[in-house]
Each structure stands twice: as structure tokens, then as C-alpha cells.
Amino acid sequence: MKLLEGKTAIVTGAARGIGKAIALKFAEQGANIAFTDLAIDDNAKQTEKELAALGVKVKGYASNAADFEDTHKVVDEIIKDFERVDILVNNAGITRDGLMARMSEQQWDMVINVNLKSAFNFIHALTPVMMRQKSGNIINMSSVVGLTGNASQANYSASKAGMIGLAKSIAKELGSRGVRANCICPGFIITEMTGVLSDEVKKKWAEQIPLKRGGTPEDVANAALFLASDLSSYISGEVISVTGGMNM
């Protein structure tokens, strides 16, 4: 039997990159997938097609995860279409890097809203659903810089540190209702976001990693699958680093 057979998962920001890899991994293991992105564009339609080919129920939803009301509306749609939600992966995220002395209020607000407030929005909308079910599994996608900080990324680091605090708080608050919440902290993962970096920067990153390579979206998806499945049924409020050892 597949690890997620019969379960329904929401994965935010899943049209590409790590979110898409997680959605595909979950679908391979039998989960029905509701995924969100800002727009159901060509990338999202391709993701929907690839997921459907795995024989599970799939639907993509256009949603601004940073908007409270919009998030509640899309969750209501998902519940109507799928009847239940067992797993939530808060993956939506952006970067707007800059030194603190030059960072604008807009850069700060955009990153906090998309990366952190979006997780609050979805958890808030799904809390009554999971409480009624007396079960639920929340995975917040944090980052290694949420643990270590990083120059020129005060906004991003703060948002990702907040994801850890949020997951731990929810784990304590909803644990008695059968709801688990954990975090994944990816390190240097080769995606479109990191693909714009120069070869020199990538080489420098690799030198800092004990495994001497960047990770793949599938490396992160494998950790997400573990946390989403019953293999981790007694794990809650924890942080799993997928960094190749770079944060030791």
C-alpha cells in the first residue's frame, strides 16, 4: 500500500520548484493533490497534467496565499471539491534580498506576507477542519537561513525563522486534537530561484557543504513525504534540515 493512499494534501506555491517536487512525490504515494499558485498559468497547467497522470485527483487553484480572505475562500473551495484535507504544506515563498541599510519597507512587507503570513492564513482556515477530523498534518517550509540568518536576507531569514516558531506553537496548540506540525529547512537547493546565481557563487556554496553539492527538489520532497506519512506519526514540533550538513 502506498504511504499516502486516500489522503488529500494542499501544497501552496506548487507550480514549479520544490513545491512541484513535493506534490509529485505525494501523488506518487497515492495522495490527492490540491495545489495553489498566484495564477494557473502554463507552468501550473503542466504541473496539473503531470500530477493527474499519476492517477490521483488533482486540481490547481489560483490563490494569493498572502491574502487572508482569498485564502479562506480557496480553502472552502478545496473542501467542497475534496471533502477533507489531511496534509498542508506551506511552501509559497519569495525573496527580495538587500542589505538592511537599503532595504525598503515594501521589500520587508512583501517577503513577510508571502512567506509567513500565508502560512498563518492557511493554518487559520484549516484549523477548524482538522479539529473536526481530529487529525491533520502541517509542514512548514522554512530554510537554513531561518536557523542561521544571512547577510542581505534579513526579511527572508526572519520569515523563515517565523515558520519554525509557528509550527512549534501549532504543534503544542493542536496536538491534543491529533494535529501534527513540523518544519523542513532546506539548504542550497538547485531550483529556478538559485539557478540565476553565477557559477562562482554556486562553487562557493558547494565548498561550504560537507557533501560538496547542492541538493535537489526531490531531496526535500523525500523529507516532506516522511513527515506527511504515518512513518513520522510520533514526530511533531520538530525541524528537519535538508542541507547536506552545511548548518552543523
Side-chain angles (χ1 to χ4, degrees), residues 200-240:
E200 183 180 347
V201 170
K202 292 176 186 177
K203 183 179 178 182
K204 186 177 179 180
W205 269 102
E207 289 171 354
Q208 300 172 33
I209 301 170
L211 291 183
K212 302 301 179 187
R213 68 171 180 86
T216 67
E218 188 168 12
D219 290 325
V220 182
N222 286 332
L225 175 62
F226 169 69
L227 289 177
S229 75
D230 290 339
L231 293 174
S232 61
S233 62
Y234 200 56
I235 296 175
S236 192
E238 297 296 338
V239 178
I240 293 181

PDB file of all heavy atoms in Angstrom, residues 200-240:
ATOM      1  N   GLU A 200      30.425  30.924  -9.982  1.00  0.00           N
ATOM      2  CA  GLU A 200      31.361  31.214  -8.892  1.00  0.00           C
ATOM      3  C   GLU A 200      30.660  31.154  -7.535  1.00  0.00           C
ATOM      4  O   GLU A 200      31.184  30.580  -6.574  1.00  0.00           O
ATOM      5  CB  GLU A 200      31.986  32.598  -9.086  1.00  0.00           C
ATOM      6  CG  GLU A 200      33.033  32.949  -8.032  1.00  0.00           C
ATOM      7  CD  GLU A 200      33.632  34.329  -8.267  1.00  0.00           C
ATOM      8  OE1 GLU A 200      33.424  34.903  -9.356  1.00  0.00           O
ATOM      9  OE2 GLU A 200      34.320  34.813  -7.352  1.00  0.00           O
ATOM     10  N   VAL A 201      29.462  31.728  -7.479  1.00  0.00           N
ATOM     11  CA  VAL A 201      28.689  31.703  -6.230  1.00  0.00           C
ATOM     12  C   VAL A 201      28.283  30.279  -5.889  1.00  0.00           C
ATOM     13  O   VAL A 201      28.364  29.841  -4.732  1.00  0.00           O
ATOM     14  CB  VAL A 201      27.449  32.607  -6.343  1.00  0.00           C
ATOM     15  CG1 VAL A 201      26.519  32.399  -5.154  1.00  0.00           C
ATOM     16  CG2 VAL A 201      27.864  34.067  -6.441  1.00  0.00           C
ATOM     17  N   LYS A 202      27.853  29.515  -6.898  1.00  0.00           N
ATOM     18  CA  LYS A 202      27.454  28.123  -6.664  1.00  0.00           C
ATOM     19  C   LYS A 202      28.631  27.288  -6.157  1.00  0.00           C
ATOM     20  O   LYS A 202      28.481  26.454  -5.262  1.00  0.00           O
ATOM     21  CB  LYS A 202      26.897  27.515  -7.950  1.00  0.00           C
ATOM     22  CG  LYS A 202      25.569  28.105  -8.402  1.00  0.00           C
ATOM     23  CD  LYS A 202      25.152  27.505  -9.737  1.00  0.00           C
ATOM     24  CE  LYS A 202      23.907  28.171 -10.272  1.00  0.00           C
ATOM     25  NZ  LYS A 202      23.536  27.650 -11.600  1.00  0.00           N
ATOM     26  N   LYS A 203      29.817  27.527  -6.727  1.00  0.00           N
ATOM     27  CA  LYS A 203      31.015  26.805  -6.300  1.00  0.00           C
ATOM     28  C   LYS A 203      31.353  27.132  -4.853  1.00  0.00           C
ATOM     29  O   LYS A 203      31.711  26.252  -4.063  1.00  0.00           O
ATOM     30  CB  LYS A 203      32.187  27.164  -7.216  1.00  0.00           C
ATOM     31  CG  LYS A 203      33.464  26.408  -6.902  1.00  0.00           C
ATOM     32  CD  LYS A 203      34.585  26.780  -7.866  1.00  0.00           C
ATOM     33  CE  LYS A 203      35.865  26.044  -7.516  1.00  0.00           C
ATOM     34  NZ  LYS A 203      36.984  26.425  -8.427  1.00  0.00           N
ATOM     35  N   LYS A 204      31.213  28.410  -4.490  1.00  0.00           N
ATOM     36  CA  LYS A 204      31.490  28.829  -3.120  1.00  0.00           C
ATOM     37  C   LYS A 204      30.530  28.154  -2.146  1.00  0.00           C
ATOM     38  O   LYS A 204      30.928  27.726  -1.062  1.00  0.00           O
ATOM     39  CB  LYS A 204      31.389  30.353  -3.019  1.00  0.00           C
ATOM     40  CG  LYS A 204      31.799  30.911  -1.670  1.00  0.00           C
ATOM     41  CD  LYS A 204      31.747  32.437  -1.674  1.00  0.00           C
ATOM     42  CE  LYS A 204      32.146  32.983  -0.302  1.00  0.00           C
ATOM     43  NZ  LYS A 204      32.101  34.474  -0.281  1.00  0.00           N
ATOM     44  N   TRP A 205      29.248  28.083  -2.529  1.00  0.00           N
ATOM     45  CA  TRP A 205      28.262  27.402  -1.703  1.00  0.00           C
ATOM     46  C   TRP A 205      28.656  25.940  -1.501  1.00  0.00           C
ATOM     47  O   TRP A 205      28.635  25.430  -0.381  1.00  0.00           O
ATOM     48  CB  TRP A 205      26.894  27.458  -2.367  1.00  0.00           C
ATOM     49  CG  TRP A 205      26.062  28.642  -1.981  1.00  0.00           C
ATOM     50  CD1 TRP A 205      25.848  29.767  -2.701  1.00  0.00           C
ATOM     51  CD2 TRP A 205      25.323  28.808  -0.770  1.00  0.00           C
ATOM     52  NE1 TRP A 205      25.024  30.628  -2.027  1.00  0.00           N
ATOM     53  CE2 TRP A 205      24.685  30.070  -0.844  1.00  0.00           C
ATOM     54  CE3 TRP A 205      25.136  28.019   0.360  1.00  0.00           C
ATOM     55  CZ2 TRP A 205      23.877  30.544   0.184  1.00  0.00           C
ATOM     56  CZ3 TRP A 205      24.328  28.492   1.376  1.00  0.00           C
ATOM     57  CH2 TRP A 205      23.706  29.743   1.288  1.00  0.00           C
ATOM     58  N   ALA A 206      29.011  25.256  -2.601  1.00  0.00           N
ATOM     59  CA  ALA A 206      29.345  23.828  -2.536  1.00  0.00           C
ATOM     60  C   ALA A 206      30.525  23.571  -1.614  1.00  0.00           C
ATOM     61  O   ALA A 206      30.576  22.547  -0.910  1.00  0.00           O
ATOM     62  CB  ALA A 206      29.634  23.295  -3.935  1.00  0.00           C
ATOM     63  N   GLU A 207      31.477  24.491  -1.583  1.00  0.00           N
ATOM     64  CA  GLU A 207      32.659  24.334  -0.734  1.00  0.00           C
ATOM     65  C   GLU A 207      32.292  24.351   0.742  1.00  0.00           C
ATOM     66  O   GLU A 207      33.012  23.794   1.574  1.00  0.00           O
ATOM     67  CB  GLU A 207      33.679  25.437  -1.046  1.00  0.00           C
ATOM     68  CG  GLU A 207      34.370  25.267  -2.400  1.00  0.00           C
ATOM     69  CD  GLU A 207      35.203  26.481  -2.782  1.00  0.00           C
ATOM     70  OE1 GLU A 207      35.155  27.491  -2.047  1.00  0.00           O
ATOM     71  OE2 GLU A 207      35.895  26.409  -3.815  1.00  0.00           O
ATOM     72  N   GLN A 208      31.183  24.981   1.085  1.00  0.00           N
ATOM     73  CA  GLN A 208      30.751  25.081   2.482  1.00  0.00           C
ATOM     74  C   GLN A 208      29.919  23.878   2.930  1.00  0.00           C
ATOM     75  O   GLN A 208      29.594  23.755   4.110  1.00  0.00           O
ATOM     76  CB  GLN A 208      29.916  26.354   2.679  1.00  0.00           C
ATOM     77  CG  GLN A 208      30.640  27.650   2.363  1.00  0.00           C
ATOM     78  CD  GLN A 208      29.693  28.845   2.400  1.00  0.00           C
ATOM     79  OE1 GLN A 208      28.744  28.875   3.171  1.00  0.00           O
ATOM     80  NE2 GLN A 208      29.953  29.827   1.555  1.00  0.00           N
ATOM     81  N   ILE A 209      29.566  23.013   1.995  1.00  0.00           N
ATOM     82  CA  ILE A 209      28.676  21.881   2.277  1.00  0.00           C
ATOM     83  C   ILE A 209      29.495  20.600   2.417  1.00  0.00           C
ATOM     84  O   ILE A 209      30.247  20.245   1.497  1.00  0.00           O
ATOM     85  CB  ILE A 209      27.642  21.726   1.144  1.00  0.00           C
ATOM     86  CG1 ILE A 209      26.813  23.008   0.997  1.00  0.00           C
ATOM     87  CG2 ILE A 209      26.737  20.526   1.399  1.00  0.00           C
ATOM     88  CD1 ILE A 209      25.932  23.041  -0.232  1.00  0.00           C
ATOM     89  N   PRO A 210      29.385  19.888   3.535  1.00  0.00           N
ATOM     90  CA  PRO A 210      30.148  18.647   3.697  1.00  0.00           C
ATOM     91  C   PRO A 210      29.959  17.650   2.555  1.00  0.00           C
ATOM     92  O   PRO A 210      30.907  16.957   2.174  1.00  0.00           O
ATOM     93  CB  PRO A 210      29.620  18.090   5.024  1.00  0.00           C
ATOM     94  CG  PRO A 210      29.289  19.308   5.819  1.00  0.00           C
ATOM     95  CD  PRO A 210      28.708  20.266   4.806  1.00  0.00           C
ATOM     96  N   LEU A 211      28.750  17.568   2.010  1.00  0.00           N
ATOM     97  CA  LEU A 211      28.530  16.640   0.895  1.00  0.00           C
ATOM     98  C   LEU A 211      29.003  17.193  -0.447  1.00  0.00           C
ATOM     99  O   LEU A 211      28.917  16.518  -1.474  1.00  0.00           O
ATOM    100  CB  LEU A 211      27.045  16.266   0.802  1.00  0.00           C
ATOM    101  CG  LEU A 211      26.513  15.399   1.950  1.00  0.00           C
ATOM    102  CD1 LEU A 211      25.047  15.039   1.714  1.00  0.00           C
ATOM    103  CD2 LEU A 211      27.339  14.134   2.136  1.00  0.00           C
ATOM    104  N   LYS A 212      29.458  18.450  -0.445  1.00  0.00           N
ATOM    105  CA  LYS A 212      30.088  19.086  -1.618  1.00  0.00           C
ATOM    106  C   LYS A 212      29.184  19.168  -2.843  1.00  0.00           C
ATOM    107  O   LYS A 212      29.641  19.103  -3.982  1.00  0.00           O
ATOM    108  CB  LYS A 212      31.405  18.357  -1.994  1.00  0.00           C
ATOM    109  CG  LYS A 212      32.419  18.310  -0.874  1.00  0.00           C
ATOM    110  CD  LYS A 212      32.792  19.714  -0.408  1.00  0.00           C
ATOM    111  CE  LYS A 212      33.801  19.688   0.728  1.00  0.00           C
ATOM    112  NZ  LYS A 212      34.048  21.027   1.296  1.00  0.00           N
ATOM    113  N   ARG A 213      27.907  19.341  -2.618  1.00  0.00           N
ATOM    114  CA  ARG A 213      26.975  19.540  -3.727  1.00  0.00           C
ATOM    115  C   ARG A 213      25.726  20.228  -3.218  1.00  0.00           C
ATOM    116  O   ARG A 213      25.423  20.207  -2.022  1.00  0.00           O
ATOM    117  CB  ARG A 213      26.589  18.201  -4.371  1.00  0.00           C
ATOM    118  CG  ARG A 213      25.745  17.295  -3.462  1.00  0.00           C
ATOM    119  CD  ARG A 213      25.209  16.086  -4.227  1.00  0.00           C
ATOM    120  NE  ARG A 213      24.409  15.200  -3.398  1.00  0.00           N
ATOM    121  CZ  ARG A 213      23.098  15.342  -3.169  1.00  0.00           C
ATOM    122  NH1 ARG A 213      22.434  16.351  -3.719  1.00  0.00           N
ATOM    123  NH2 ARG A 213      22.457  14.470  -2.411  1.00  0.00           N
ATOM    124  N   GLY A 214      25.015  20.833  -4.150  1.00  0.00           N
ATOM    125  CA  GLY A 214      23.710  21.364  -3.820  1.00  0.00           C
ATOM    126  C   GLY A 214      22.697  20.247  -3.780  1.00  0.00           C
ATOM    127  O   GLY A 214      22.911  19.158  -4.338  1.00  0.00           O
ATOM    128  N   GLY A 215      21.595  20.477  -3.097  1.00  0.00           N
ATOM    129  CA  GLY A 215      20.539  19.484  -3.037  1.00  0.00           C
ATOM    130  C   GLY A 215      19.592  19.609  -4.219  1.00  0.00           C
ATOM    131  O   GLY A 215      19.674  20.544  -5.016  1.00  0.00           O
ATOM    132  N   THR A 216      18.697  18.655  -4.346  1.00  0.00           N
ATOM    133  CA  THR A 216      17.694  18.674  -5.399  1.00  0.00           C
ATOM    134  C   THR A 216      16.313  18.843  -4.764  1.00  0.00           C
ATOM    135  O   THR A 216      16.119  18.527  -3.583  1.00  0.00           O
ATOM    136  CB  THR A 216      17.707  17.366  -6.205  1.00  0.00           C
ATOM    137  OG1 THR A 216      17.266  16.294  -5.343  1.00  0.00           O
ATOM    138  CG2 THR A 216      19.107  17.059  -6.729  1.00  0.00           C
ATOM    139  N   PRO A 217      15.343  19.328  -5.543  1.00  0.00           N
ATOM    140  CA  PRO A 217      13.977  19.393  -5.016  1.00  0.00           C
ATOM    141  C   PRO A 217      13.481  18.041  -4.505  1.00  0.00           C
ATOM    142  O   PRO A 217      12.732  17.978  -3.523  1.00  0.00           O
ATOM    143  CB  PRO A 217      13.163  19.882  -6.217  1.00  0.00           C
ATOM    144  CG  PRO A 217      14.140  20.727  -6.986  1.00  0.00           C
ATOM    145  CD  PRO A 217      15.447  19.988  -6.866  1.00  0.00           C
ATOM    146  N   GLU A 218      13.922  16.951  -5.133  1.00  0.00           N
ATOM    147  CA  GLU A 218      13.492  15.624  -4.686  1.00  0.00           C
ATOM    148  C   GLU A 218      14.054  15.290  -3.308  1.00  0.00           C
ATOM    149  O   GLU A 218      13.406  14.593  -2.518  1.00  0.00           O
ATOM    150  CB  GLU A 218      13.884  14.544  -5.694  1.00  0.00           C
ATOM    151  CG  GLU A 218      13.280  13.187  -5.345  1.00  0.00           C
ATOM    152  CD  GLU A 218      13.400  12.158  -6.444  1.00  0.00           C
ATOM    153  OE1 GLU A 218      14.144  12.406  -7.403  1.00  0.00           O
ATOM    154  OE2 GLU A 218      12.751  11.107  -6.331  1.00  0.00           O
ATOM    155  N   ASP A 219      15.262  15.787  -2.990  1.00  0.00           N
ATOM    156  CA  ASP A 219      15.807  15.582  -1.651  1.00  0.00           C
ATOM    157  C   ASP A 219      14.857  16.164  -0.601  1.00  0.00           C
ATOM    158  O   ASP A 219      14.621  15.569   0.451  1.00  0.00           O
ATOM    159  CB  ASP A 219      17.178  16.257  -1.511  1.00  0.00           C
ATOM    160  CG  ASP A 219      18.265  15.569  -2.313  1.00  0.00           C
ATOM    161  OD1 ASP A 219      18.227  14.333  -2.424  1.00  0.00           O
ATOM    162  OD2 ASP A 219      19.159  16.275  -2.821  1.00  0.00           O
ATOM    163  N   VAL A 220      14.326  17.331  -0.892  1.00  0.00           N
ATOM    164  CA  VAL A 220      13.399  17.992   0.026  1.00  0.00           C
ATOM    165  C   VAL A 220      12.060  17.255   0.042  1.00  0.00           C
ATOM    166  O   VAL A 220      11.455  17.057   1.099  1.00  0.00           O
ATOM    167  CB  VAL A 220      13.200  19.467  -0.362  1.00  0.00           C
ATOM    168  CG1 VAL A 220      12.263  20.159   0.628  1.00  0.00           C
ATOM    169  CG2 VAL A 220      14.533  20.202  -0.424  1.00  0.00           C
ATOM    170  N   ALA A 221      11.615  16.829  -1.134  1.00  0.00           N
ATOM    171  CA  ALA A 221      10.340  16.117  -1.242  1.00  0.00           C
ATOM    172  C   ALA A 221      10.354  14.816  -0.444  1.00  0.00           C
ATOM    173  O   ALA A 221       9.339  14.425   0.141  1.00  0.00           O
ATOM    174  CB  ALA A 221      10.005  15.843  -2.703  1.00  0.00           C
ATOM    175  N   ASN A 222      11.499  14.142  -0.409  1.00  0.00           N
ATOM    176  CA  ASN A 222      11.603  12.898   0.360  1.00  0.00           C
ATOM    177  C   ASN A 222      11.409  13.156   1.851  1.00  0.00           C
ATOM    178  O   ASN A 222      10.752  12.375   2.549  1.00  0.00           O
ATOM    179  CB  ASN A 222      12.954  12.235   0.112  1.00  0.00           C
ATOM    180  CG  ASN A 222      13.047  11.590  -1.266  1.00  0.00           C
ATOM    181  OD1 ASN A 222      12.040  11.182  -1.835  1.00  0.00           O
ATOM    182  ND2 ASN A 222      14.248  11.497  -1.801  1.00  0.00           N
ATOM    183  N   ALA A 223      11.979  14.263   2.342  1.00  0.00           N
ATOM    184  CA  ALA A 223      11.789  14.618   3.752  1.00  0.00           C
ATOM    185  C   ALA A 223      10.326  14.966   4.026  1.00  0.00           C
ATOM    186  O   ALA A 223       9.763  14.597   5.068  1.00  0.00           O
ATOM    187  CB  ALA A 223      12.688  15.794   4.123  1.00  0.00           C
ATOM    188  N   ALA A 224       9.709  15.669   3.079  1.00  0.00           N
ATOM    189  CA  ALA A 224       8.295  16.030   3.228  1.00  0.00           C
ATOM    190  C   ALA A 224       7.415  14.778   3.250  1.00  0.00           C
ATOM    191  O   ALA A 224       6.451  14.701   4.024  1.00  0.00           O
ATOM    192  CB  ALA A 224       7.868  16.957   2.100  1.00  0.00           C
ATOM    193  N   LEU A 225       7.738  13.810   2.417  1.00  0.00           N
ATOM    194  CA  LEU A 225       6.969  12.562   2.389  1.00  0.00           C
ATOM    195  C   LEU A 225       7.049  11.851   3.740  1.00  0.00           C
ATOM    196  O   LEU A 225       6.041  11.362   4.257  1.00  0.00           O
ATOM    197  CB  LEU A 225       7.488  11.642   1.279  1.00  0.00           C
ATOM    198  CG  LEU A 225       6.860  10.247   1.216  1.00  0.00           C
ATOM    199  CD1 LEU A 225       5.358  10.336   0.955  1.00  0.00           C
ATOM    200  CD2 LEU A 225       7.543   9.401   0.139  1.00  0.00           C
ATOM    201  N   PHE A 226       8.224  11.810   4.311  1.00  0.00           N
ATOM    202  CA  PHE A 226       8.389  11.193   5.633  1.00  0.00           C
ATOM    203  C   PHE A 226       7.504  11.885   6.663  1.00  0.00           C
ATOM    204  O   PHE A 226       6.770  11.232   7.412  1.00  0.00           O
ATOM    205  CB  PHE A 226       9.859  11.262   6.052  1.00  0.00           C
ATOM    206  CG  PHE A 226      10.087  10.905   7.499  1.00  0.00           C
ATOM    207  CD1 PHE A 226       9.910   9.603   7.948  1.00  0.00           C
ATOM    208  CD2 PHE A 226      10.490  11.873   8.408  1.00  0.00           C
ATOM    209  CE1 PHE A 226      10.113   9.275   9.283  1.00  0.00           C
ATOM    210  CE2 PHE A 226      10.696  11.562   9.741  1.00  0.00           C
ATOM    211  CZ  PHE A 226      10.510  10.259  10.184  1.00  0.00           C
ATOM    212  N   LEU A 227       7.534  13.215   6.699  1.00  0.00           N
ATOM    213  CA  LEU A 227       6.739  13.955   7.680  1.00  0.00           C
ATOM    214  C   LEU A 227       5.243  13.844   7.408  1.00  0.00           C
ATOM    215  O   LEU A 227       4.431  13.891   8.338  1.00  0.00           O
ATOM    216  CB  LEU A 227       7.155  15.422   7.700  1.00  0.00           C
ATOM    217  CG  LEU A 227       8.526  15.717   8.315  1.00  0.00           C
ATOM    218  CD1 LEU A 227       8.845  17.204   8.190  1.00  0.00           C
ATOM    219  CD2 LEU A 227       8.587  15.282   9.779  1.00  0.00           C
ATOM    220  N   ALA A 228       4.867  13.703   6.145  1.00  0.00           N
ATOM    221  CA  ALA A 228       3.448  13.623   5.781  1.00  0.00           C
ATOM    222  C   ALA A 228       2.853  12.246   6.049  1.00  0.00           C
ATOM    223  O   ALA A 228       1.635  12.113   6.184  1.00  0.00           O
ATOM    224  CB  ALA A 228       3.268  13.974   4.310  1.00  0.00           C
ATOM    225  N   SER A 229       3.698  11.240   6.146  1.00  0.00           N
ATOM    226  CA  SER A 229       3.220   9.865   6.272  1.00  0.00           C
ATOM    227  C   SER A 229       3.146   9.431   7.731  1.00  0.00           C
ATOM    228  O   SER A 229       3.634  10.105   8.641  1.00  0.00           O
ATOM    229  CB  SER A 229       4.156   8.914   5.511  1.00  0.00           C
ATOM    230  OG  SER A 229       5.371   8.737   6.235  1.00  0.00           O
ATOM    231  N   ASP A 230       2.568   8.258   7.941  1.00  0.00           N
ATOM    232  CA  ASP A 230       2.472   7.699   9.287  1.00  0.00           C
ATOM    233  C   ASP A 230       3.820   7.186   9.804  1.00  0.00           C
ATOM    234  O   ASP A 230       3.924   6.799  10.978  1.00  0.00           O
ATOM    235  CB  ASP A 230       1.444   6.565   9.317  1.00  0.00           C
ATOM    236  CG  ASP A 230       0.021   7.082   9.157  1.00  0.00           C
ATOM    237  OD1 ASP A 230      -0.203   8.286   9.419  1.00  0.00           O
ATOM    238  OD2 ASP A 230      -0.864   6.292   8.762  1.00  0.00           O
ATOM    239  N   LEU A 231       4.836   7.196   8.956  1.00  0.00           N
ATOM    240  CA  LEU A 231       6.172   6.828   9.425  1.00  0.00           C
ATOM    241  C   LEU A 231       6.667   7.800  10.492  1.00  0.00           C
ATOM    242  O   LEU A 231       7.541   7.469  11.292  1.00  0.00           O
ATOM    243  CB  LEU A 231       7.166   6.810   8.251  1.00  0.00           C
ATOM    244  CG  LEU A 231       6.964   5.737   7.188  1.00  0.00           C
ATOM    245  CD1 LEU A 231       7.943   5.951   6.041  1.00  0.00           C
ATOM    246  CD2 LEU A 231       7.140   4.336   7.786  1.00  0.00           C
ATOM    247  N   SER A 232       6.093   9.014  10.497  1.00  0.00           N
ATOM    248  CA  SER A 232       6.503  10.041  11.462  1.00  0.00           C
ATOM    249  C   SER A 232       5.375  10.359  12.446  1.00  0.00           C
ATOM    250  O   SER A 232       5.284  11.478  12.948  1.00  0.00           O
ATOM    251  CB  SER A 232       6.921  11.321  10.729  1.00  0.00           C
ATOM    252  OG  SER A 232       5.836  11.845   9.979  1.00  0.00           O
ATOM    253  N   SER A 233       4.532   9.368  12.726  1.00  0.00           N
ATOM    254  CA  SER A 233       3.307   9.627  13.492  1.00  0.00           C
ATOM    255  C   SER A 233       3.551  10.132  14.912  1.00  0.00           C
ATOM    256  O   SER A 233       2.643  10.698  15.524  1.00  0.00           O
ATOM    257  CB  SER A 233       2.439   8.365  13.537  1.00  0.00           C
ATOM    258  OG  SER A 233       3.131   7.306  14.195  1.00  0.00           O
ATOM    259  N   TYR A 234       4.758   9.946  15.444  1.00  0.00           N
ATOM    260  CA  TYR A 234       5.057  10.442  16.794  1.00  0.00           C
ATOM    261  C   TYR A 234       6.078  11.586  16.751  1.00  0.00           C
ATOM    262  O   TYR A 234       6.782  11.843  17.717  1.00  0.00           O
ATOM    263  CB  TYR A 234       5.555   9.295  17.680  1.00  0.00           C
ATOM    264  CG  TYR A 234       5.432   9.569  19.168  1.00  0.00           C
ATOM    265  CD1 TYR A 234       4.206   9.907  19.731  1.00  0.00           C
ATOM    266  CD2 TYR A 234       6.545   9.474  20.003  1.00  0.00           C
ATOM    267  CE1 TYR A 234       4.090  10.158  21.093  1.00  0.00           C
ATOM    268  CE2 TYR A 234       6.436   9.726  21.365  1.00  0.00           C
ATOM    269  CZ  TYR A 234       5.208  10.062  21.900  1.00  0.00           C
ATOM    270  OH  TYR A 234       5.095  10.314  23.251  1.00  0.00           O
ATOM    271  N   ILE A 235       6.123  12.273  15.639  1.00  0.00           N
ATOM    272  CA  ILE A 235       7.028  13.407  15.478  1.00  0.00           C
ATOM    273  C   ILE A 235       6.207  14.661  15.254  1.00  0.00           C
ATOM    274  O   ILE A 235       5.411  14.745  14.321  1.00  0.00           O
ATOM    275  CB  ILE A 235       7.990  13.192  14.286  1.00  0.00           C
ATOM    276  CG1 ILE A 235       8.891  11.983  14.558  1.00  0.00           C
ATOM    277  CG2 ILE A 235       8.828  14.443  14.031  1.00  0.00           C
ATOM    278  CD1 ILE A 235       9.801  11.620  13.395  1.00  0.00           C
ATOM    279  N   SER A 236       6.375  15.651  16.129  1.00  0.00           N
ATOM    280  CA  SER A 236       5.664  16.917  15.995  1.00  0.00           C
ATOM    281  C   SER A 236       6.477  18.021  16.663  1.00  0.00           C
ATOM    282  O   SER A 236       7.165  17.786  17.663  1.00  0.00           O
ATOM    283  CB  SER A 236       4.274  16.824  16.639  1.00  0.00           C
ATOM    284  OG  SER A 236       3.467  17.937  16.271  1.00  0.00           O
ATOM    285  N   GLY A 237       6.408  19.209  16.092  1.00  0.00           N
ATOM    286  CA  GLY A 237       7.147  20.339  16.625  1.00  0.00           C
ATOM    287  C   GLY A 237       8.632  20.287  16.332  1.00  0.00           C
ATOM    288  O   GLY A 237       9.429  20.978  16.983  1.00  0.00           O
ATOM    289  N   GLU A 238       9.013  19.506  15.331  1.00  0.00           N
ATOM    290  CA  GLU A 238      10.430  19.309  15.039  1.00  0.00           C
ATOM    291  C   GLU A 238      10.853  20.023  13.758  1.00  0.00           C
ATOM    292  O   GLU A 238      10.017  20.433  12.944  1.00  0.00           O
ATOM    293  CB  GLU A 238      10.746  17.818  14.917  1.00  0.00           C
ATOM    294  CG  GLU A 238      10.523  17.027  16.194  1.00  0.00           C
ATOM    295  CD  GLU A 238      11.441  17.451  17.326  1.00  0.00           C
ATOM    296  OE1 GLU A 238      12.503  18.046  17.052  1.00  0.00           O
ATOM    297  OE2 GLU A 238      11.092  17.192  18.494  1.00  0.00           O
ATOM    298  N   VAL A 239      12.157  20.147  13.592  1.00  0.00           N
ATOM    299  CA  VAL A 239      12.750  20.775  12.417  1.00  0.00           C
ATOM    300  C   VAL A 239      13.719  19.790  11.780  1.00  0.00           C
ATOM    301  O   VAL A 239      14.636  19.295  12.449  1.00  0.00           O
ATOM    302  CB  VAL A 239      13.506  22.063  12.789  1.00  0.00           C
ATOM    303  CG1 VAL A 239      14.165  22.669  11.558  1.00  0.00           C
ATOM    304  CG2 VAL A 239      12.573  23.069  13.453  1.00  0.00           C
ATOM    305  N   ILE A 240      13.499  19.489  10.506  1.00  0.00           N
ATOM    306  CA  ILE A 240      14.414  18.625   9.763  1.00  0.00           C
ATOM    307  C   ILE A 240      15.192  19.486   8.778  1.00  0.00           C
ATOM    308  O   ILE A 240      14.606  20.168   7.938  1.00  0.00           O
ATOM    309  CB  ILE A 240      13.664  17.516   9.008  1.00  0.00           C
ATOM    310  CG1 ILE A 240      13.019  16.545  10.003  1.00  0.00           C
ATOM    311  CG2 ILE A 240      14.607  16.765   8.078  1.00  0.00           C
ATOM    312  CD1 ILE A 240      12.278  15.393   9.354  1.00  0.00           C
TER     313      ILE A 240
END
